[in-house]
Amino acid sequence: MRMKKTMLLVSSSPSTSVGLRSYLTHIFGRYIKLEARLADDVTSELMEQFDLVLFASKGAARALETSMTPKIHFLICIRTFNFTYLNKILSIPPNSDVYLVNDSEQTTKSAIRLLSTYGFSQYHFVPYYPGCGEADYSIQYAVTLGEERYVPRHIPNVMDIGVRVADVSTIAEIASFFNLSMSIADVVTQNYLNQFVQLLKMSNYQVRQTTNMNFITQSIIHNIDIGVCMVNKEHVIIMVNNPFVKELEIQKPHLVGVSILEAVPEFEEILKKHQEPESLTTEIIRHESKKVMVTLQKIRDANHEDLTLIHLGRRMIREDSAEDNGLQIRDGVLNPEQKTETWYQFRDYRSENTQVLRMLEMAKRISLTDYRVLIQGETGTGKEVLAQAIHNNSSRCRNAFVKVNLSAMSELQAAKELDTAEENSAARHAQGGTLYLDGIHNLTQDLQRVTLGLLDSPFNVRLIASTDQNLYEMSREGLFLRELFYRMNEVSLATLPVRERPEDVPLLFEYFMRNIYNTPSLTWRELFSDGLWEFLMGYCWPGNGKEIENLCKYFYCVKSDRKLTERDLPPYILSQIRENEEHLSPLERQVLIALSQNPKKGRAALLRIVREQGVDVTEGKIRRLLQDLSDRGLVRTNRTKGGCEITGKGETFL
C-alpha cells in the first residue's frame, strides 16, 4: 500500500490551527496525512520530515524564517473571508462603535486592518477578545469571525461573517504540488466563484444605489489576494482587479471595455480551448519566462448573459531558488524592453469633436511615414497617447518606444539619455524604433545642439517630440534654436483643450468612471445631480483630460448615500466657485443655513425661523432675498406649495 504524502500546517494561534486543519482535512484527508503544530513548537528537523509545509500566515512563516533550509518545500496560505457575508456589516448604521470579536488580540486587530483595507471606514471598530477587559455597555453592535461565544452578552446585534479559510488558489496549489487531480478543488472553486459572482451582482446593484456601498464592494474586489477578470462572449473586459493587472504586468491603463486579447495576447489560445468545457485550468507564459496558472470558469449573470471569469493562481515556491526560500517581498521591476512597451492605439484617443477627429486622421497618415513629429498642446490633452499611437501604427511598431521625460531630468541626466555613445542611453534603446522627447522646450541651448547632432547621426531612430509651450515663439525670441525647431517640425499636430470641445466631457467622464467603478454600462446620470452636471459642463478644465480622470477618482472616494452634488467637489474647485461668486451677507448665509436644515419651507416659515434667531426682517425683504439667491443659482423656488430649497451650488457656501 502506498504511503500517504505528508503536510505540516504551522499556525501562530490554537484556534487558527484547529479551524484550518479541520477545513483542509475535509478536502485532502483521503490523500494527504496532515499534522498541525504551533510555530513555537516547530524546528528545522521537524519541517524536513514533511513533503510540504503550509504556513497559516506570513507571521507564522516569519517566526521560522531562520529555521528554513533548502530541503523544505513550503507555501504561505492565503486566507479569505466569505465575501458575501461582508454585506451583513453594511446593515450597521454608519459612525457606530462596533466590537470586532475574535479569539486573540493579534487576530482581532488583523481582522480590523483587513476590513479597513476593504473600505469599511464608516465604523469605529473596537477590538474585543478574551482578557481584553470589561465590556462597554454603550456599544450595541458586534462583528465576529465565527467566535460568537466571546461576544459580550449585552449586545443585541451580532453579525457573524465566518472564520477565514484557505482560499481557492491555495487549495489548487496544494493539489498541484502533490500531483492530485484538480477536481479535488472543484467544490472549493465553485463556492469561491459563486461568492465572487454574488459580489459582482451586489456591486452592479450598489453603484446605482449609493457610492459608499459600491466603494466598499470595489475595495473588496481590488484587495482580495487573487487576480480576477471578467470578460463577455466577445472577450471584452467588463471587470478586472488590481492583482490581476499586477501579476500579469499589464501596462495598458483603463482596461474596462478593452479586449482581453489586446491586454494579454497570450490568452488567445487558451480562450479557444475554453469554448467547450465549463472550466479550464492551465498555464500561460508572460514575457517569454513568467509562468502563471489561470483558471477560466463559464458563468451566467442575472441577465442570462454568458461570461467568463478568469482567476490567477500563484507560482509555487520551491527549493531551487535560494532567493525564493527567503521571505523577502519585493516589488517587480520591469526590464528595459518591458519599460518601453506601448499600449495606446488611435482608438484610445477619445473624442466626438470634428476638429479632433480630423487631427486623428492626420495623425494616422503621419504614422505611415517616417517623418519627425512635433506635438503641441496643453497638459493633459493626450500628447503621449498620440505619440504611442503613431508608433504602434507605424512600421517601427515591433521595435522599442522610449520616452524621455525632459521636464523631470537634470541637464546631466538628459545629456546621457541623448548620447548615442552611452550603452544604456534612451537613444541606444530606441534604435530601430521611436524616441519620444516629452517636454522638448526644457532643453538647454547646449542640449538643443546635442539633439541636432542626434538628427545628423546615422542612428536609425524616429523622433517624436511634445511641448505645452509655443515653440515657434520661443524660436523667434531666441529661447529655442530655430534650426532645431524647423528640423524637428517636419510634421506637426496640435491637441485641443477640453474647454474647446465640450461635447467630449460626457464621453471622458463615462470612460473614466466605468473603469474606476468596474461597471461598463455606467452613465453620469446615475452618479451626478443635474446641478453638478451643469457645473461640470460649464467648467473650464485647465487640467484637461487628466483633470477629469483625477476628479473621477476623487468622486469615487467620496462617501455618499445619494447622487453627488456641487458640495462634493474637491476643495480647489470649491474655492474657485466662491471666488467667482459675490460674497454672502450675514442674512443670506442665515437663510441658506435655514433652508439646508429645513428644506422646502415657504417664505412664511422661513421668516419665522429667521426671526426666532433674533433677526428683525420683513416678509418683503425675505421675498427679494430669495429671488436674488434664486437668480444666482443658490436656491430653488418650487411651484405651488413646494417651498424653497438650497441647491448644490448653494451648499458649497456653507
Side-chain angles (χ1 to χ4, degrees):
M1 184 176 178
R2 291 182 60 187
M3 294 283 291
K4 280 187 178 181
K5 295 289 187 178
T6 58
M7 181 168 70
L8 176 65
L9 172 64
V10 180
S11 309
S12 297
S13 71
S15 59
T16 299
S17 181
V18 171
L20 203 50
R21 180 180 182 177
S22 173
Y23 180 76
L24 293 171
T25 300
H26 175 72
I27 298 170
F28 293 109
R30 292 174 55 194
Y31 312 97
I32 301 170
K33 181 180 179 181
L34 177 65
E35 291 191 24
R37 300 286 179 88
L38 296 180
D40 291 342
D41 301 327
V42 174
T43 63
S44 299
E45 292 75 19
L46 177 63
M47 288 190 286
E48 288 178 356
Q49 295 174 22
F50 290 84
D51 296 303
L52 179 65
V53 176
L54 178 67
F55 291 105
S57 64
K58 288 181 181 178
R62 290 194 184 100
L64 291 166
E65 185 170 2
T66 58
S67 301
M68 300 304 293
T69 71
K71 295 181 180 180
I72 299 170
H73 297 255
F74 71 92
L75 286 174
I76 299 175
C77 182
I78 292 180
R79 295 167 62 206
T80 184
F81 294 118
N82 182 323
F83 307 128
T84 53
Y85 290 169
L86 293 182
N87 197 44
K88 292 181 179 180
I89 301 176
L90 295 174
S91 64
I92 301 173
N95 303 315
S96 298
D97 289 335
V98 181
Y99 269 137
L100 195 293
V101 181
N102 214 339
D103 61 346
S104 71
E105 179 178 9
Q106 180 184 359
T107 57
T108 303
K109 292 182 176 179
S110 173
I112 291 175
R113 285 193 297 271
L114 190 55
L115 288 173
S116 177
T117 64
Y118 285 169
F120 287 91
S121 58
Q122 71 272 48
Y123 306 113
H124 175 224
F125 287 110
V126 179
Y128 192 88
Y129 48 88
C132 68
E134 294 295 322
D136 182 347
Y137 280 80
S138 67
I139 296 178
Q140 297 296 300
Y141 298 93
V143 172
T144 182
L145 286 72
E147 299 286 1
E148 287 195 56
R149 55 184 172 158
Y150 295 128
V151 176
R153 293 185 177 181
H154 76 274
I155 294 183
N157 306 294
V158 180
M159 285 72 184
D160 187 351
I161 59 175
V163 297
R164 290 191 296 159
V165 296
D167 78 349
V168 66
S169 71
T170 300
I171 300 300
E173 288 185 70
I174 294 172
S176 175
F177 181 87
F178 289 111
N179 295 317
L180 300 173
S181 169
M182 291 303 292
S183 63
I184 292 174
D186 277 353
V187 174
V188 180
T189 303
Q190 191 59 53
N191 182 54
Y192 166 79
L193 293 172
N194 289 340
Q195 290 181 28
F196 200 81
V197 171
Q198 290 302 315
L199 190 67
L200 292 173
K201 291 178 181 177
M202 191 188 307
S203 172
N204 289 332
Y205 169 76
Q206 289 168 351
V207 74
R208 290 165 172 81
Q209 301 301 315
T210 68
T211 57
N212 183 45
M213 292 175 71
N214 179 262
F215 177 81
I216 291 171
T217 307
Q218 291 296 328
S219 294
I220 295 169
I221 290 171
H222 284 295
N223 282 286
I224 61 175
D225 294 307
I226 302 174
V228 288
C229 177
M230 187 86 77
V231 299
N232 63 17
K233 59 185 178 182
E234 286 81 29
H235 302 154
V236 172
I237 297 171
I238 60 174
M239 185 285 302
V240 63
N241 73 347
N242 293 333
F244 188 91
V245 173
K246 184 176 180 181
E247 179 66 16
L248 294 182
E249 297 175 358
I250 301 173
Q251 302 301 304
K252 182 177 177 63
H254 314 310
L255 291 171
V256 173
V258 172
S259 170
I260 186 68
L261 301 180
E262 180 181 337
V264 188
E266 293 87 349
F267 270 112
E268 184 171 6
E269 290 301 317
I270 296 173
L271 287 168
K272 288 179 181 177
K273 294 178 184 177
H274 188 239
Q275 289 179 359
E276 294 301 326
E278 288 296 311
S279 65
L280 172 69
T281 298
T282 185
E283 185 178 76
I284 65 169
I285 300 177
R286 283 285 282 165
H287 305 303
E288 299 181 355
S289 60
K290 183 175 183 179
K291 296 180 179 180
V292 182
M293 294 296 298
V294 299
T295 297
L296 287 76
Q297 177 77 31
K298 290 182 179 178
I299 63 171
R300 183 164 289 182
D301 70 2
N303 297 320
H304 304 291
E305 181 181 356
D306 292 326
L307 305 173
T308 299
L309 179 64
I310 305 171
H311 66 86
L312 308 181
R314 295 174 296 143
R315 288 168 288 172
M316 183 71 72
I317 304 173
R318 297 188 184 277
E319 82 288 348
D320 54 5
S321 168
E323 290 185 346
D324 281 345
N325 266 324
L327 295 172
Q328 305 302 317
I329 301 171
R330 298 162 297 184
D331 292 329
V333 178
L334 302 178
N335 61 40
E337 289 75 24
Q338 292 167 341
K339 284 182 179 176
T340 59
E341 271 189 304
T342 55
W343 289 102
Y344 288 121
Q345 307 285 346
F346 283 115
R347 63 176 173 272
D348 293 311
Y349 201 104
R350 297 175 181 269
S351 178
E352 295 176 346
N353 178 271
T354 303
Q355 186 176 340
V356 174
L357 294 177
R358 284 201 301 267
M359 181 271 292
L360 290 175
E361 285 303 314
M362 174 76 169
K364 289 175 185 177
R365 294 173 66 88
I366 289 171
S367 70
L368 302 178
T369 73
D370 215 24
Y371 298 145
R372 301 182 195 113
V373 187
L374 178 63
I375 306 172
Q376 299 187 85
E378 295 180 11
T379 298
T381 53
K383 297 186 290 295
E384 185 174 352
V385 175
L386 274 180
Q388 286 195 20
I390 290 170
H391 170 82
N392 282 330
N393 203 50
S394 73
S395 60
R396 296 176 178 267
C397 63
R398 296 186 181 277
N399 296 317
F401 175 95
V402 182
K403 174 184 175 181
V404 180
N405 185 359
L406 296 169
S407 304
M409 287 184 178
S410 66
E411 184 174 358
L412 180 60
Q413 287 175 308
K416 287 183 177 180
E417 296 294 354
L418 298 173
D419 188 354
T420 57
E422 283 277 343
E423 184 177 352
N424 290 316
S425 70
R428 288 285 291 271
H429 278 302
Q431 173 81 340
T434 301
L435 181 63
Y436 173 48
L437 303 180
D438 184 21
I440 193 172
H441 62 276
N442 289 288
L443 290 174
T444 62
Q445 291 276 330
D446 288 342
L447 287 179
Q448 290 174 37
R449 293 186 180 89
V450 170
T451 306
L452 276 174
L454 180 61
L455 300 184
D456 291 327
S457 74
F459 246 60
N460 176 22
V461 64
R462 181 184 196 171
L463 279 177
I464 300 178
S466 67
T467 177
D468 60 4
Q469 303 295 312
N470 188 328
L471 220 55
Y472 175 68
E473 287 299 322
M474 288 181 66
S475 70
R476 291 184 61 186
E477 295 170 5
L479 301 175
F480 196 86
L481 292 179
R482 184 168 294 192
E483 181 184 359
L484 179 57
F485 171 76
Y486 284 112
R487 293 191 62 188
M488 187 67 237
N489 190 21
E490 288 185 325
V491 290
S492 61
L493 295 168
T495 58
L496 202 65
V498 171
R499 65 180 173 276
E500 295 180 21
R501 47 188 179 110
E503 64 268 45
D504 286 344
V505 173
L507 185 74
L508 293 171
F509 259 104
E510 291 182 353
Y511 172 65
F512 291 126
M513 295 298 277
R514 286 170 180 175
N515 276 274
I516 292 169
Y517 279 85
N518 257 328
T519 308
S521 60
L522 189 63
T523 67
W524 65 264
R525 296 180 187 277
E526 297 174 75
L527 295 175
F528 303 148
S529 67
D530 291 341
L532 175 59
W533 187 245
E534 183 180 349
F535 170 82
L536 295 175
M537 287 299 295
Y539 184 59
C540 62
W541 300 111
N544 294 291
K546 189 61 182 175
E547 186 175 17
I548 292 178
E549 181 181 8
N550 292 345
L551 189 57
C552 289
K553 293 175 180 177
Y554 181 87
F555 283 150
Y556 176 66
C557 295
V558 171
K559 177 186 172 184
S560 176
D561 295 327
R562 48 167 177 72
K563 286 188 176 182
L564 299 168
T565 67
E566 292 98 316
R567 74 175 182 184
D568 296 311
L569 289 163
Y572 81 95
I573 295 181
L574 289 177
S575 65
Q576 294 177 55
I577 294 174
R578 294 173 185 136
E579 287 174 6
N580 295 331
E581 187 63 46
E582 300 174 30
H583 290 294
L584 294 177
S585 68
L587 179 57
E588 289 172 331
R589 179 173 295 277
Q590 278 184 298
V591 168
L592 288 181
I593 292 173
L595 286 175
S596 176
Q597 296 172 348
N598 306 275
K600 298 188 177 181
K601 292 292 185 182
R603 284 198 306 271
L606 203 57
L607 179 64
R608 184 176 63 255
I609 292 171
V610 172
R611 284 177 172 174
E612 287 173 354
Q613 295 172 354
V615 179
D616 186 15
V617 62
T618 64
E619 183 176 355
K621 187 170 185 178
I622 286 288
R623 183 175 61 253
R624 291 190 297 273
L625 184 146
L626 286 173
Q627 183 61 53
D628 180 57
L629 292 176
S630 177
D631 293 341
R632 291 158 62 184
L634 304 183
V635 302
R636 183 183 304 108
T637 303
N638 300 309
R639 295 180 178 179
T640 63
K641 297 183 179 181
C644 301
E645 56 185 324
I646 190 170
T647 64
K649 182 180 178 181
E651 289 177 335
T652 66
F653 287 85
L654 300 183

